[in-house]
Structures are given as C-alpha cells and as structure tokens.
Amino acid sequence: MISLQKRKWTQEEKYLIYDLVKEKTISQIAEIFGVTYSCMASKIHKMGLKCKREREVSWSEKEDQILCSIYEKASKDYIMSSLPKRTWCSIRQRAKKVFGMERLARDVTYVDHTFFDEWTEKSAYIFGFILADGYLCKNESGIGNKNVLQIENGIKDIDIVYKIAAALKFRGRIVQSATSAKINIHNANIINQLIEKGIPPKNKTFLADFPKDIPKEFVRHCIRGLIDGDGSSLILDEDSRKRYMIGFCGTEAIVKKVFSLIPFDLSENKVYQEAPHCWRFGIRGKKAYEIGKWLYGDASIYLDRKKEALDIAKELYT
C-alpha cells in the first residue's frame, strides 16, 4: 500500500473519487487506488467529501422518528427489521449518543411489542388466556433480561399456542415436548402492559381478577380467553344423554365477575367453592349452548377443541 505522503493524485483520480464516494465505502475506494484506509480517508476529508452523506446513508428524519418511537420498547429483531439499512452497532450508538435512550430490556426475538397497548378482539382474548393459564415475571431490578411471559398448553391443544404466537407476530421458537408446547417472550413493554391492565406479576393464582377498564365490546373475547385457558366447553354424556356444558374456574373474584358479565338469565345457576382458592360455575343444556354461541360464534381466535364442542352442540339444540 502507498502512504499519503508518496501519493500524488491526478485530476482524473479526483473526479473518480467524487463518483466513487456516492456508492462505495472508504475501504473499497482505498482498495481501488491501492492505498491505505487512513490515506484514503484523509484525501476524501481534504476534498470536503463525506462518504456517508454522498452515499445517502446519513440518518434521515424518518429513520430518527422510527428509532425514537421503538428503541426503548421493541425487541432487537423488531428494531433491525424497522431500520434495515442500519447495523445494530449503528442503531445503538445513534440511540445513546444522539438521543440518550436506553432499552428497557435486552430481548432479541421479534415480537409485536405494541400488541397489548390497545384493546382488540385478539388482545382481549390472549389477555384472558394469560390471566387464566399464563406465567408472568417482572424484572424488578432493571438489570439483565428477567422479564418473562410464558404461554404453555398441553400437546393436544397445541393449536392455540401457534395461534397466539401468530397474533403476536412472535418469530421465536415454539418449544415442544411429549406433553406440551410453549413460547417464552421477554419484551418489557408487553410485560408492563399486561400488568397495567390487571395481571398481577406475583401470586397470580390467588390475586387474579377480571380487568376493570376493558371496553364492553371486548368483554366476551376476554371471557372466551379465560374459558379456553382454564374453563370448559365440552359435550357431556350423562345417563346416555349428550349435553353441552360451559364453565370456568379460578379465584372467587374473577369467577363471580365472569358469571355476572354473562348476558343471560343465570338465576338457576350458581358459583360455588371447589377448593380453598378455587371457585367454579358450570352451565348445561341449551342455555350453555346460547352462551357458547355468544362467546365463539363469530370469533377469529379460539381453542379448536372447545369450539368443536360447540359445533357438536349445534346438532343437539337446533
């Protein structure tokens, strides 16, 4: 390689440099001219050029807006997908040095971190499912990545794990064993939103309650998630007679709340205590079928096995 002191640049070479900085890196230009990187960088600087500016890779206003809107809460994969022209090193440096931002956690796997920011049919359903049968751990120290949301189900109901993963746009691994399937999500914003909407980060089994601020139009979707997570929608064979049954079990507060929110006359039914921290109700027959239609009739997300029981019930009651 030739040093700067020994290199004399012709006018033709200078014109070529003007063209090359628009599409190549300093290292690539140095290789073309057979000089060192420092030699080439110095010459480009003396000519008043900047490779990044000339190649139009300086951060645009739109990129900065994207960075500021997602850096603190989104996963690494989500951020990089949103800024495809940037390296992770460049993104981190820009966020820290220019905007003074730090990420809430070090989660990597792509997931829609905004999923629980607003109530929708799917967010209400999955919230209910997690409230009934999910595991939540909040990173209190702020160090490392101890935020965990685990959604797990038996292998016979693996369909709902895949449906939830798809709704959340989760691109991580679905872990399967001989008996179960599960996903683990570590996004801090998702954990925070679930807690803010009412899922207790500790002692969920004993403290779970129905979300207080959920809009009325999404209540039935949340109840469907609860029933799919820890309830019943099945065909009973009682005294050689098939009957449809729908029910739910959980804490006293949540079971009584769900019971009160079902818009049908349940005066002949009741909530009862089954164990020290377990309350339950079960409704049979045509009334159960009407409730099932209210919950599952036009739903876009549900546990297949429980929806199929309702489909069978249709033959019994229509």
Side-chain angles (χ1 to χ4, degrees):
M1 291 287 185
I2 300 173
S3 68
L4 180 61
Q5 290 75 16
K6 295 181 180 181
R7 185 68 161 88
K8 292 184 178 181
W9 300 92
T10 67
Q11 192 61 43
E12 289 76 12
E13 288 175 325
K14 292 177 183 178
Y15 287 140
L16 181 58
I17 291 172
Y18 276 106
D19 291 333
L20 290 173
V21 292
K22 296 176 183 179
E23 57 184 33
K24 296 191 179 294
T25 64
I26 294 176
S27 296
Q28 290 170 331
I29 300 171
E31 186 175 350
I32 290 172
F33 286 106
V35 298
T36 63
Y37 177 92
S38 59
C39 169
M40 195 72 252
S42 179
K43 182 60 182 177
I44 290 171
H45 176 71
K46 287 187 175 183
M47 291 174 67
L49 303 175
K50 292 182 179 180
C51 276
K52 287 186 176 181
R53 186 182 65 198
E54 295 296 330
R55 290 165 47 221
E56 298 181 349
V57 294
S58 294
W59 283 79
S60 66
E61 183 178 349
K62 182 178 180 180
E63 285 180 310
D64 280 342
Q65 289 174 348
I66 293 171
L67 178 68
C68 291
S69 68
I70 66 175
Y71 184 75
E72 294 177 323
K73 297 179 178 180
S75 67
K76 177 182 175 182
D77 287 352
Y78 188 102
I79 295 168
M80 294 195 70
S81 295
S82 301
L83 297 165
K85 295 181 179 179
R86 303 296 167 188
T87 64
W88 182 238
C89 181
S90 173
I91 290 169
R92 291 181 63 192
Q93 288 181 348
R94 183 77 174 175
K96 186 173 184 178
K97 293 182 179 179
V98 178
F99 300 106
M101 292 190 300
E102 297 285 349
R103 297 179 65 224
L104 296 178
R106 301 190 186 98
D107 59 310
V108 173
T109 305
Y110 189 104
V111 66
D112 181 3
H113 63 285
T114 68
F115 186 80
F116 291 104
D117 288 1
E118 302 289 340
W119 287 110
T120 65
E121 179 205 346
K122 289 185 177 180
S123 70
Y125 173 86
I126 296 174
F127 181 93
F129 192 93
I130 294 168
L131 183 58
D133 201 30
Y135 168 78
L136 193 68
C137 179
K138 167 71 174 176
N139 183 3
E140 300 292 350
S141 69
I143 301 172
N145 190 36
K146 296 179 181 178
N147 294 296
V148 179
L149 166 62
Q150 185 177 96
I151 299 171
E152 183 174 12
N153 217 340
I155 202 70
K156 68 178 180 179
D157 293 322
I158 192 174
D159 63 282
I160 198 59
V161 179
Y162 276 91
K163 288 179 182 179
I164 290 173
L168 288 164
K169 299 179 182 177
F170 177 71
R171 297 180 184 174
R173 182 185 173 199
I174 296 179
V175 182
Q176 294 186 44
S177 69
T179 58
S180 68
K182 66 182 177 182
I183 58 174
N184 291 309
I185 294 171
H186 303 283
N187 183 262
N189 189 58
I190 285 178
I191 303 295
N192 290 340
Q193 285 293 332
L194 289 170
I195 293 171
E196 287 178 15
K197 285 179 168 57
I199 297 182
K202 295 181 180 179
N203 299 320
K204 181 171 71 69
T205 301
F206 309 112
L207 301 177
D209 198 356
F210 199 83
K212 294 178 174 58
D213 298 325
I214 184 169
K216 185 177 180 180
E217 64 265 32
F218 301 118
V219 165
R220 66 190 177 103
H221 303 302
C222 185
I223 293 175
R224 186 174 69 256
L226 286 163
I227 288 174
D228 280 359
D230 205 7
S232 304
S233 171
L234 52 83
I235 300 296
L236 300 172
D237 195 347
E238 299 176 323
D239 300 324
S240 301
R241 178 188 174 192
K242 293 185 181 299
R243 300 179 74 192
Y244 178 66
M245 192 272 278
I246 197 161
F248 176 60
C249 64
T251 65
E252 180 180 7
I254 196 169
V255 172
K256 287 184 175 180
K257 184 63 175 180
V258 168
F259 189 80
S260 71
L261 289 170
I262 295 174
F264 294 87
D265 179 10
L266 302 181
S267 57
E268 295 182 359
N269 304 96
K270 65 178 182 179
V271 173
Y272 61 93
Q273 187 174 12
E274 188 176 61
H277 299 286
C278 179
W279 293 69
R280 179 185 296 275
F281 67 79
I283 303 163
R284 293 171 170 79
K286 189 169 184 179
K287 186 183 295 183
Y289 173 64
E290 295 300 323
I291 295 171
K293 286 197 300 179
W294 175 67
L295 291 172
Y296 293 91
D298 60 353
S300 66
I301 183 168
Y302 46 78
L303 196 153
D304 287 350
R305 176 172 56 85
K306 294 184 179 180
K307 172 63 163 58
E308 288 166 2
L310 179 70
D311 294 338
I312 296 171
K314 183 178 181 180
E315 299 176 5
L316 302 176
Y317 302 108
T318 60

